[in-house]
Amino acid sequence: MIKKIIYFIIVIFITSCGASRGKGSSHAKNRVTKKTPKRTVTVTTRKIVTKKPVVLDNTATSTSEELEATSKVSVTYRNVSDYIDGFKDIAKQNMEEYGIPASITLAQGILESGAGNGRLSREANNHFGIKCHKGWNGPSITHDDDAAQECFRKYNDPSESYKDHSLFLTSRSRYNGLFKLDKGDYEGWAKGLKSAGYATDPKYPTKLISIIERYELFQYDNEILSRENTKKQDRVVVEEGIVNGTTYEIQKGDTLYSISRKFNMSVDEIKKVNGLNDNSLSIGQKIKVK
């Protein structure tokens, strides 16, 4: 009897545990398999472009300027410097042979050919804008200048253009007065060319002088003339002061002290001779010196 009771209790206990375990598993299953609603996320992307840095060359060699050749041409300082290096020897040779300052020849070549970048110099090796004129039987090229499609001389080599430029000046009587000037007086030559009718531009002498002084073309004249390498006006002013022994014209940058050193005088002597009450000077002022 007792065994039956124990057996019965065990069966009930096992049945209860199984029911509980089944309910728990069903709950867990339901919890695990429950679906979570999907969420849609929109992502916007932007293409990033990396630009290469722009490098600006601010050196003097790249600064452009305009030269008024037979047509306006933009050139750089380096263009002009390269042109000078290429033609300075020809200009000096022509100076020795024909007596035209190398500085003048180079300055005209730079200005009128656009430092070799103008059409006439590139296509006809004509660096001075020399027109055909009467008696020219050589090759030619047409180009718009004072009038449309004018005739200009064409050369096989730039050196021929340089030689023809020298012959052009030496063979025409209207330029005779130029050859009476000092070969180092580039200012006088620049102004004389304009006065003789070489160019119609009223600023032509100023442009030539500016080019000569900016690029120190006077040094090539001095080499041929075996002179000290100074500007014409500086040399003339000092020579005049020494030659006549009486007056000196004040230049930019002059002081009483610098003048005293130049003429071996004391500052007090200069002030006394000229009746100066202070040390102030003005450009162009003429003072007495010993």
Side-chain angles (χ1 to χ4, degrees), residues 34-203:
K34 185 178 180 180
K35 294 183 178 179
T36 303
K38 294 182 179 179
R39 296 176 59 191
T40 302
V41 179
T42 303
V43 179
T44 303
T45 60
R46 182 179 61 185
K47 185 178 181 181
I48 299 175
V49 179
T50 303
K51 295 182 178 180
K52 293 182 180 180
V54 178
V55 180
L56 297 178
D57 185 357
N58 293 319
T59 63
T61 57
S62 66
T63 303
S64 62
E65 60 180 311
E66 266 191 354
L67 292 179
E68 294 186 22
T70 45
S71 58
K72 289 186 178 181
V73 180
S74 293
V75 300
T76 65
Y77 185 94
R78 181 171 296 169
N79 290 149
V80 179
S81 296
D82 289 344
Y83 183 91
I84 293 169
D85 288 340
F87 294 100
K88 63 184 179 182
D89 289 336
I90 295 175
K92 288 192 291 183
Q93 181 180 340
N94 281 8
M95 179 176 179
E96 290 182 316
E97 187 172 352
Y98 299 101
I100 302 167
S103 61
I104 287 293
T105 302
L106 279 172
Q108 286 187 284
I110 292 168
L111 180 61
E112 295 169 31
S113 75
N117 290 287
R119 176 175 176 258
L120 288 180
S121 58
R122 288 186 290 104
E123 298 182 19
N125 289 317
N126 189 334
H127 286 236
F128 299 91
I130 299 179
K131 297 179 181 180
C132 293
H133 300 294
K134 293 180 179 180
W136 175 254
N137 297 317
S140 63
I141 185 174
T142 55
H143 184 78
D144 292 346
D145 191 34
D146 297 325
Q149 296 297 286
E150 291 190 85
C151 181
F152 287 84
R153 300 183 183 187
K154 187 174 183 179
Y155 306 96
N156 293 320
D157 188 83
S159 61
E160 295 178 8
S161 174
Y162 269 74
K163 182 176 181 179
D164 204 19
H165 168 263
S166 297
L167 292 173
F168 183 84
L169 294 181
T170 55
S171 63
R172 286 164 172 74
S173 59
R174 59 176 173 164
Y175 299 116
N176 287 349
L178 292 172
F179 294 90
K180 297 177 181 179
L181 298 173
D182 185 275
K183 298 299 185 292
D185 184 6
Y186 58 82
E187 285 186 359
W189 276 80
K191 294 173 183 177
L193 283 168
K194 171 64 177 65
S195 299
Y198 186 94
T200 57
D201 183 359
K203 295 183 179 180

Side-chain angles (χ1 to χ4, degrees), residues 17 90 153 166 222 230 232 235-236 268 275:
C17 289
I90 295 175
R153 300 183 183 187
S166 297
N222 295 332
T230 57
K232 173 261 170 187
R235 182 175 65 252
V236 172
D268 289 337

